[in-house]
Structures are given as C-alpha cells and as structure tokens.
C-alpha cells in the first residue's frame, strides 16, 4: 500500500486484481482536493476499476464534489470505471444534495 498526504488529507492506495482502491482520510476541501485529483489521475492506468473510499473523510466541500465529477470524466475518457464509497453517513448525503448521485457511481460498500 502506498500513500500521499498533506496537512488536511491522506490518500492511501493499493492495487489488486485489476482494480485500484483509494482510501481518503481527513478533510476533502479546496486546499486538499489537488492531492486527491493528482493521485487518482496518476493511477487511472493501474486497472480497469478505481474505488475511492470516502467513508473516513471528515469534511467534503464543493471543490471536492467538482473533483469527483472531473475524476469521473477523466476515468471515462480512459475507459476506467470509478466508484465512490460513501457509506451511509454525511458523505452520501453531500452527493445526494448536489444531485451527483445520479451522475457518479455512489455505493454504500465497495462491490467485489
């Protein structure tokens, strides 16, 4: 498992059987969004599926929602599916309120 971090956020990732799992811990806010975007963008070629686990985030702002939409777009262009794991906590509600749950693949728990 590898990781990258800054003062507000840590992004850990591991490769397994054609997928990449990213675990995001901390505040996913304007100042930390570039860390997530650049980390995930760099590993999009590591498999055919990327799972981004947001259940350990403590804050998600509008910049993070924009980042999620951009990651989805980049992944789609590269033929990679991206899935956001939100659990049943506030993280899921943030995506619902922004009406992104119909655009992005949002799940309670990772599939497979």
């Amino acid at each position: 498992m590898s990781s990258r971090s800054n003062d507000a956020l840590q992004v850990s990732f591991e490769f397994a059987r054609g997928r990449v799992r990213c675990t995001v811990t901390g505040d996913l806010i304007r100042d930390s969004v570039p860390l997530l975007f650049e980390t995930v963008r760099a590993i999009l070629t590591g498999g055919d599926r990327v799972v981004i686990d947001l259940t350990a985030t403590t804050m998600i702002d509008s910049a993070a929602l924009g980042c999620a939409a951009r990651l989805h777009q980049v992944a789609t262009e590269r033929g990679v599916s991206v899935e956001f794991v939100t659990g049943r906590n506030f993280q899921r509600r943030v995506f619902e309120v922004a009406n992104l749950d119909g655009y992005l693949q949002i799940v309670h728990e990772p599939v497979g």
Side-chain angles (χ1 to χ4, degrees), residues 45-89:
T45 59
D48 56 5
R49 183 169 153 231
V50 175
V51 177
I52 302 173
D53 187 342
L54 301 174
T55 58
T57 56
T58 51
M59 186 180 299
I60 296 176
D61 72 4
S62 60
L65 296 174
C67 175
R70 282 194 331 252
L71 285 172
H72 171 77
Q73 180 180 10
V74 171
T76 300
E77 290 169 358
R78 295 183 183 182
V80 177
S81 72
V82 65
E83 173 180 292
F84 296 88
V85 180
T86 60
R88 298 181 187 271
N89 300 316

Side-chain angles (χ1 to χ4, degrees), residues 23-52:
T23 302
V24 183
T25 305
D27 295 342
L28 188 52
I29 56 176
R30 183 191 64 167
D31 294 337
S32 62
V33 159
L35 174 66
L36 176 64
F37 184 78
E38 293 304 324
T39 300
V40 173
R41 188 177 68 167
I43 61 176
L44 278 174
T45 59
D48 56 5
R49 183 169 153 231
V50 175
V51 177
I52 302 173

Side-chain angles (χ1 to χ4, degrees), residues 89-106:
N89 300 316
F90 83 91
Q91 297 92 339
R92 183 172 195 80
R93 186 70 182 134
V94 168
F95 283 89
E96 290 172 348
V97 168
N99 203 28
L100 286 173
D101 58 326
Y103 176 67
L104 304 174
Q105 186 176 357
I106 307 291

